[in-house]
């Protein structure tokens, strides 16, 4: 019994921290309408800044706490308010981009500033004081302080939201921003106050929990999963229910630590318990439609059959060029363009066409890689199809709960699924089910080989690169034809309004299961290609955090554009790999680039996506036969010179980039309409072009004189 109470005290102290962090999450959501995926990262940054003050610079603890909570956290909250202001009115996927970008960017920034290879610890508050004794139970002063702070936060938030004018303004802003403005209140001020308080609570939680865990950017940021679970208990609205959910999560973690049987299959269950509880909460508690203003959905391009076929051929040709130009070692790094391209392509039908947000695509790619590794150990070609079927079945499984979820709730559910795979499923050793041995990564790595096709065994990296390029081209063509099909039009209707889709006779369950299965099958195929390219993969390569940059780049490219697969693969495996090799000092900056791009997208700098801009830039060149001939001939000449070793790789790359920039601009100038003839008009002594307005004024003057 004493042990049970002791674990309960530990659970309650942890629950108090989850309650503080979760209440900040609920506060920002209920007052701004934006779900902040970077909430835990804000607490993580606050914990690191607190460590820098206390341990790094020797600032006394009270002063360090005051500096973090009264200076850093409020300014950080204002920065969040400014950064997230442009997301108002965007679609669900676009709205999530900014907070996911901030999550990824803050984690990488923390690793940039504070070397993750250096161990860091924080002392607990009042560690030198003798602990409290309640009978046979011992309570540290840090635990007591944590629970006291949670009570103070609960009371203060209740008073603020329901007993003050500022609280009323904050709650009213998300319901009707325009109406709040008409009453004389300032919606922007209410949002700024909400973000300052929300980040303040994240900072409090980060400072309190940092001494209890390792000071690691990823671990501290993902502790928010437990706070997510608590917030979902409160349906992102109720603070009392959020605190109750925090108690459930904290005690569950504590009792699993103390009473979970010790064997090789269950340790990961304790780590995955918050994510599992989040899934359960998402499925059990009813969720209404997310509140907020009307969404501005980006139009989905309608590709032509001819253009899609040409694009598929171009992708295959690019694969052949890379295979003939790069060495074996370079192909292992840069040949991943096409494998990552297939994984990125899986977002297009799911999020781009159907509007279903998924943050677990890379984790599903890991399932495809594992399935092919075990079924195609000797290169059996059918193992690729089997891997796609298995990954598609997992996608269909995800689609079942997705019927109850949409928007941010669906993003949370898929993120939780990815975390469960990371922390538990992928770490399991081999096991048997009904006499069938099932092995995943088997607590290590799995080896993959190229397939045997038409009697030809693909063994070299160059052959696998060309094969992956052909697969990406065919998959892209298939997705383009899906967009043109009747089912593709149904998916677009599903994205526009699920309620209208169902009202008009559409089967939501069938549509979601089909698109989730298709998307997962494509991701599983990409995972198998990724494993073939590297020859061996581990579970860490398919983690939740590793998949965030891919999601960001796809959104930057344009969720509905078929070319976003190749674009994502080229960016993720090209510059992000090449720049650190050429300029090691820029390694950390390069890793932050996807997050910066996501922030730029949400800020409106990229509009409908990077590919829309490129399409407009290249449209004239693609229609101009002369420009197209010059471009193809120039690239072919450079390719021949490089294969003949007349020029080196740097000259080829520079020439290709120059051709890609100069030829479209030249074509645009050739097709630019002539400038209007400048007719001197002496009108108040100003010389400018003659316009229709001038004619109207002249006619009126003549009529007045006659």
């Amino acid at each position: 019994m004493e042990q049970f109470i002791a674990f309960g005290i530990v659970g309650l102290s942890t629950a108090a921290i989850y309650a503080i962090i979760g209440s900040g999450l609920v506060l920002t959501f209920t007052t701004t309408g934006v779900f902040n995926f970077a909430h835990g990262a804000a607490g993580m940054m606050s914990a690191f800044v607190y460590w820098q003050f206390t341990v790094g610079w020797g600032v006394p603890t009270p002063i360090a706490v005051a500096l973090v909570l009264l200076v850093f956290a409020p300014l950080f909250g204002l920065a969040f308010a400014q950064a997230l202001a442009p997301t108002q009115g965007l679609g669900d996927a676009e709205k999530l981009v900014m907070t996911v970008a901030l999550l990824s960017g803050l984690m990488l920034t923390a690793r940039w500033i504070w070397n993750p290879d250096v161990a860091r610890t924080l002392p607990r508050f009042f560690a030198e004081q003798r602990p409290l004794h309640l009978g046979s139970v011992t309570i540290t002063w840090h635990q007591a302080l944590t629970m006291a702070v949670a009570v103070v936060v609960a009371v203060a938030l209740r008073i603020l939201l329901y007993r003050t004018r500022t609280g009323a303004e904050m709650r009213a802003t998300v319901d009707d921003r325009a109406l709040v403005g008409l009453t004389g209140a300032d919606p922007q001020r209410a949002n700024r106050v909400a973000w300052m308080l929300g980040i303040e609570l994240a900072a409090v939680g980060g400072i309190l929990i940092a001494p209890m865990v390792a000071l690691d950017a990823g671990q501290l940021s993902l502790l928010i999963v437990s706070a997510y679970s608590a917030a979902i208990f409160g349906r992102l609205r109720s603070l009392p229910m959020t605190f109750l959910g925090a108690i459930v999560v904290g005690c569950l973690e504590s009792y699993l630590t103390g009473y979970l049987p010790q064997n090789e299959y269950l340790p990961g269950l304790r780590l995955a318990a918050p994510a599992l509880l989040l899934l359960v909460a998402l499925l059990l508690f009813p969720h209404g439609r997310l509140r907020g203003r009307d969404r501005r959905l980006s139009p989905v391009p309608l590709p032509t059959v001819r253009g899609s076929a040409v694009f598929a051929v171009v992708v295959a040709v690019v694969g052949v060029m890379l295979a003939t130009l790069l060495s074996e070692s370079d192909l292992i790094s840069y040949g991943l363009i096409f494998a990552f391209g297939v994984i990125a392509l899986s977002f297009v039908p799911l999020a781009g066409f159907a509007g279903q947000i998924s943050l677990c695509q890379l984790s599903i790619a890991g399932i495809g890689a594992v399935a092919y590794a075990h079924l195609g150990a000797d290169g059996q070609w059918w193992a690729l199809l089997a891997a796609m079927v298995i990954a598609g079945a997992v996608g269909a499984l995800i689609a079942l709960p997705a019927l109850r979820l949409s928007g941010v709730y669906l993003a949370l559910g898929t993120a939780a699924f990815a975390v469960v795979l990371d922390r538990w499923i992928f770490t399991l050793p081999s096991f048997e089910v009904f006499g069938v041995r099932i092995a995943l990564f088997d607590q290590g790595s799995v080896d993959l080989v190229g397939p045997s096709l038409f009697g030809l065994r693909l063994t070299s990296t160059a052959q696998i690169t060309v094969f992956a390029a052909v697969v990406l081209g065919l998959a892209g063509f298939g997705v383009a034809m899906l967009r043109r099909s009747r089912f593709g039009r149904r998916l677009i209707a599903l994205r526009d309004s699920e309620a209208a889709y169902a009202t008009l006779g559409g089967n939501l369950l069938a549509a979601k299961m089909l698109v989730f299965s298709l998307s997962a099958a494509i991701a599983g195929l990409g995972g198998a290609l990724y494993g073939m390219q590297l020859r061996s993969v581990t579970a860490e390569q398919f983690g939740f955090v590793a998949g965030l940059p891919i999601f960001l780049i796809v959104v930057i490219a344009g969720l509905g554009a078929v070319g976003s697969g190749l674009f994502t693969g080229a960016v993720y495996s090209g510059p992000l790999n090449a720049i650190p090799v050429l300029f090691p000092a820029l390694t950390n900056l390069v890793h932050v680039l996807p997050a910066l791009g996501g922030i730029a997208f949400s800020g409106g700098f990229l509009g409908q996506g990077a590919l829309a801009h490129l399409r407009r830039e290249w449209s004239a060149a693609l229609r101009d036969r002369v420009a197209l001939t010059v471009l193809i001939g120039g690239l072919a000449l450079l390719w021949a010179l490089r294969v003949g070793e007349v020029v080196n790789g740097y000259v080829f790359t520079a020439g290709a980039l120059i051709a890609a920039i100069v030829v479209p601009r030249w074509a645009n100038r050739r097709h630019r309409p002539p400038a209007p003839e400048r007719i001197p008009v002496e009108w108040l002594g100003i010389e400018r072009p003659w316009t229709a307005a001038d004619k109207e004024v002249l006619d009126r003057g003549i009529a007045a004189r006659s």
Side-chain angles (χ1 to χ4, degrees), residues 411-425:
L412 278 172
T414 54
F417 180 77
V419 172
V420 171
L421 290 179
D422 292 351
R423 296 183 176 180
W424 184 27
I425 304 300

Side-chain angles (χ1 to χ4, degrees), residues 8 15 158 173 207 244 283 403 669:
R158 183 72 183 181
T173 297
I207 291 175
L244 176 61
L283 297 177
L403 189 63
R669 288 183 179 178

Side-chain angles (χ1 to χ4, degrees), residues 376-669:
D378 297 322
Q380 293 90 334
W381 63 269
W382 53 263
L384 267 178
L385 300 179
M388 294 178 65
V389 170
I390 293 173
V394 174
L397 184 64
I398 298 174
L400 291 176
L403 189 63
R404 285 178 51 85
L405 307 175
S406 62
V408 69
Y409 299 114
L410 181 57
L412 278 172
T414 54
F417 180 77
V419 172
V420 171
L421 290 179
D422 292 351
R423 296 183 176 180
W424 184 27
I425 304 300
F426 283 165
T427 65
L428 290 174
S430 59
F431 56 93
E432 290 189 0
V433 177
F434 302 114
V436 179
R437 181 177 179 273
I438 299 177
L440 299 175
F441 290 96
D442 208 8
Q443 299 179 319
S445 61
V446 293
D447 299 327
L448 295 90
V449 298
S452 297
L453 296 172
F454 309 109
L456 175 64
R457 179 70 178 271
L458 305 182
T459 56
S460 68
T461 307
Q463 292 173 332
I464 295 174
T465 299
V466 174
F467 174 67
V470 173
V471 169
L472 175 58
L474 293 175
F477 182 79
V479 172
M481 294 304 99
L482 172 67
R483 170 65 181 89
R484 296 181 59 85
S485 68
R486 182 179 180 182
F487 181 62
R489 293 191 294 272
R490 285 178 174 269
L491 292 180
I492 301 298
L494 178 66
R495 182 192 72 145
D496 292 341
S497 174
E498 291 186 10
Y501 180 85
T503 302
L504 295 175
N507 190 324
L508 280 176
L509 177 59
K512 286 192 174 185
M513 287 192 67
L514 283 173
V515 72
F516 267 94
S517 298
L518 174 63
S519 174
I522 296 174
L525 175 62
L529 294 173
Y530 177 55
M532 290 180 205
Q533 196 82 25
L534 296 179
R535 306 298 175 92
S536 178
V537 290
T538 62
E540 289 76 14
Q541 292 169 291
F542 299 98
F544 168 68
V545 175
L548 294 180
I550 298 177
F551 171 73
L552 291 176
I553 299 174
V554 173
V555 177
I556 293 168
L559 273 174
V562 175
S564 60
L566 180 63
F567 179 92
T568 302
V571 172
Y572 195 72
S573 301
L576 297 187
N577 273 338
I579 293 177
V581 175
L582 299 175
F583 309 100
L586 300 178
T587 299
N588 292 311
L589 176 61
V590 169
H591 290 160
V592 182
L593 287 179
L596 295 178
I599 294 172
F601 174 86
S602 296
F605 299 109
L606 296 178
Q608 297 177 6
L611 287 181
H613 291 267
L614 292 177
R615 191 181 299 111
R616 287 192 293 268
E617 184 75 15
W618 276 77
S619 59
L622 295 176
R623 292 194 305 267
D624 190 326
R625 293 185 178 181
V626 176
L628 197 59
T629 302
V630 171
L631 178 62
I632 295 175
L635 292 177
L637 177 61
L638 284 172
W639 184 15
L641 292 175
R642 179 67 189 98
V643 172
E645 298 185 353
V646 177
V647 298
N648 58 24
Y650 293 103
V651 174
F652 173 83
T653 303
L657 289 176
I658 292 173
I661 295 173
V662 172
V663 172
R665 292 190 175 183
W666 173 57
N668 285 327
R669 288 183 179 178

